């Protein structure tokens, strides 16, 4: 039974703009935040640069010493405003299913506040083997190493850096703020148009590894 001892394939996925199109929900939450705080946030602009931690966006709109408090308000409002309007990205369910079909486990590693990340997945019926939040760019490597991830799939140059720091294969999808050229320049090993291309890629890659 030697094959039982071989390592389980583990694929990590980013959340925003990789598995979910979080723009409608985040846009609604920023608009509600503007209303509640009386501070203008250009929600349309903010959703064009998703990926980095929330505080990095809020510092554009609020005084630096208020950002921590505003982060808490946003996170508290988020479930009410952002979960329902947010759809899964095209191919997200198929990508997760492809990992399971290959006998692997699929984890989600995201910069998003972990309880809210779990709410998104639960709402969409996307079942991950683990969800690790509050990690961005190189820090994503902490979770990727802990779970021994072979592959990390994301849409941002920060995701590419996280994968490379962890020694995982970086698979990038050009469905977020970074185009194919930027993702390649950041060092992505593989660039796909979207997650619909992922199952066929995974099948070919798994076969080549055997």
């Amino acid at each position: 039974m030697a094959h039982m001892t071989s390592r389980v394939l583990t694929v990590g996925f980013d959340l925003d703009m990789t598995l979910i199109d979080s723009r409608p929900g985040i846009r609604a939450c920023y608009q509600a935040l503007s209303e509640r705080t009386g501070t203008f946030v250009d929600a349309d602009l903010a959703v064009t640069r998703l990926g980095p931690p929330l505080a990095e966006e809020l510092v554009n709109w609020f005084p630096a010493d208020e950002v921590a408090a505003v982060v808490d308000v946003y996170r508290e409002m988020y479930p009410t405003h952002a979960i329902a309007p947010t759809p899964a990205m095209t191919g997200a369910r198929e990508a997760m299913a492809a990992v399971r079909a290959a006998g692997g486990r699929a984890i989600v590693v995201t910069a998003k506040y972990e309880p809210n990340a779990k709410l998104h997945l639960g709402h969409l019926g996307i079942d991950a083997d683990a969800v690790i939040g509050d990690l961005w760019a190189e820090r994503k490597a902490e979770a990727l190493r802990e779970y021994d991830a072979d592959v990390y799939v994301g849409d941002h140059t920060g995701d590419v850096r996280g994968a490379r720091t962890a020694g995982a294969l970086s698979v990038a999808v050009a469905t977020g703020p970074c185009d194919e050229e930027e993702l390649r320049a950041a060092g992505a090993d593989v660039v796909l148009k979207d997650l619909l291309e992922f199952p066929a890629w995974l099948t070919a890659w798994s076969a080549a590894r055997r």
Side-chain angles (χ1 to χ4, degrees):
M1 297 292 285
H3 71 278
M4 295 301 287
T5 58
S6 64
R7 265 179 6 114
V8 176
L9 166 72
T10 302
V11 179
F13 290 89
D14 173 49
L15 185 65
D16 286 12
M17 304 313 298
T18 298
L19 289 176
I20 65 172
D21 183 351
S22 48
R23 290 171 301 186
I26 288 177
R27 186 170 177 274
C29 198
Y30 275 133
Q31 288 170 331
L33 183 73
S34 280
E35 228 165 277
R36 180 153 157 190
T37 59
T39 300
F40 173 71
V41 176
D42 187 337
D44 292 320
L45 176 61
V47 297
T48 65
R49 43 191 188 204
L50 299 180
L54 177 62
E56 290 188 23
E57 180 60 47
L58 292 177
V59 82
N60 297 309
W61 312 104
F62 294 88
D65 60 348
E66 287 175 26
V67 166
V70 177
V71 163
D72 290 342
V73 172
Y74 176 97
R75 285 176 171 175
E76 173 203 317
M77 297 171 75
Y78 192 94
T80 308
H81 297 279
I83 304 298
T86 297
M89 292 295 275
T90 307
R93 290 185 177 88
E94 293 85 345
M96 300 284 268
V99 175
R100 303 262 162 70
R105 55 181 184 169
I107 65 170
V108 173
V109 181
T110 173
K112 192 180 286 300
Y113 180 54
E114 194 174 296
N116 289 341
K118 288 177 173 170
L119 286 177
H120 275 299
L121 295 166
H123 176 75
L124 294 168
I126 295 175
D127 186 26
D129 292 291
V131 180
I132 308 96
D134 301 293
L135 295 176
W136 164 240
E138 285 79 0
R139 285 201 56 215
K140 290 189 172 197
E142 295 168 23
L144 296 173
R145 282 201 192 104
E146 185 190 333
Y147 285 87
D148 221 357
D150 302 277
V151 177
Y152 184 59
V153 185
D155 64 279
H156 198 286
T157 53
D159 299 326
V160 176
R161 298 203 308 272
R164 294 187 71 87
T165 303
L169 191 82
S170 169
V171 175
V173 283
T175 49
C178 304
D179 65 22
E180 292 187 24
E181 211 170 296
E182 273 177 274
L183 294 164
R184 279 208 179 85
D189 296 297
V190 179
V191 180
L192 306 175
K193 196 165 88 274
D194 56 33
L195 284 179
L196 284 176
E197 295 185 350
F198 180 81
W201 171 81
L202 183 67
T203 302
W205 178 75
S206 299
R209 283 173 87 212
R210 285 201 187 97

